[in-house]
Amino acid sequence: MTSAAVQRGIGMTSQRTRDRMVARLREQGIADEAVLVAMGSVPRHLFVDAALASRAYEDTALPIGFEQTISRPFVVARMIAVARAGRTLERVLEVGTGCGYGAAVFAYVAKEVYSIERIQALAERARANLRPLRIANLRLVHGDGSKGLPEAAPFDAIVVAAAALDVPRALIDQLADGGRLIIPVGAAEQELRVIERTAAGKLKDRRLDAVHFVPLRAGKG
Ligand code: SAH
């Protein structure tokens, strides 16, 4: 196959398969059209090992090496839809780039996306995965995302793709007024939390779904 054909996808990696995934996301309750367009556009099969490409559009997490996983499509869509809350997003941060898939989806719905990954080899792999997609509004950073990215703050939304034991204060501090932090919290049992800094600067904390994420770890790998 030519590399253009690999990118477009055929059979189990085709646009038809992606459209079926989007139909499933709708049934699962994702209603944000901008997020659904993004999920239908980003070729998820390019972010997993070639041997797993035919399973890329199933609603499961898949291994990406270094004991990490690419999150289920539903979870990626859900977190970004909650982050967006129907707004136009200017600058946003993703903590935990992994293979780069979530960052690519985020880049469809926000003007400027920063994504930070602590494991250098994964940050490099994400860069390689993303290169052919030529996404101009996405910046990848190697570092400890539990400290956020103060040099680019404040953010309209921060999505954390790894579970924290406690919500890192630095992330709350880097929210713009009206900004939202979406973060899984817990150890064996985790829940998705949304911390919102209201336009008046007050903090609101809500608990959403039970979830299962790899742990957020301190320091660079
Ligand atoms: N966003 C990815 C999910 C990757 S899994 C997707 O689209 O599927 C979560 C990632 O968070 C792992 O790659 C892990 O190495 C990373 N991670 C864990 N703790 C981190 C930290 N403190 N800072 C940055 N990345 C972290």
Side-chain angles (χ1 to χ4, degrees), residues 21-93:
M21 176 185 79
V22 170
R24 201 171 55 223
L25 290 170
R26 270 185 212 283
E27 285 165 18
Q28 290 170 319
I30 305 295
D32 184 326
E33 291 299 326
V35 171
L36 291 167
V37 167
M39 296 296 293
S41 304
V42 178
R44 185 172 159 91
H45 63 281
L46 298 184
F47 292 86
V48 296
D49 229 53
L52 291 172
S54 66
R55 301 191 53 203
Y57 297 96
E58 293 175 13
D59 196 23
T60 53
L62 294 168
I64 54 172
F66 309 92
E67 297 173 15
Q68 307 302 323
T69 54
I70 179 171
S71 305
R72 283 171 60 199
F74 172 75
V75 169
V76 174
R78 169 87 169 135
M79 289 180 99
I80 295 178
V82 172
R84 211 171 84 80
R87 302 172 296 157
T88 305
L89 296 172
E90 299 287 332
R91 188 178 294 176
V92 300
L93 174 68

Side-chain angles (χ1 to χ4, degrees), residues 110-184:
K111 293 242 167 73
E112 203 181 349
V113 179
Y114 289 82
S115 182
I116 182 164
E117 169 58 52
R118 66 178 286 277
I119 299 177
Q120 173 138 30
L122 270 178
E124 280 164 16
R125 186 172 300 175
R127 209 175 286 286
N129 288 342
L130 287 159
R131 195 168 297 124
L133 301 181
R134 300 173 182 279
I135 302 174
N137 59 328
L138 171 58
R139 288 182 181 47
L140 300 183
V141 180
H142 172 226
D144 178 1
S146 61
K147 301 196 178 94
L149 196 61
E151 59 269 38
F155 300 101
D156 288 337
I158 303 177
V159 165
V160 183
L165 293 177
D166 298 296
V167 180
R169 186 69 221 183
L171 297 183
I172 297 175
D173 290 343
Q174 290 172 35
L175 285 177
D177 286 348
R180 292 180 149 214
L181 166 63
I182 323 300
I183 182 168

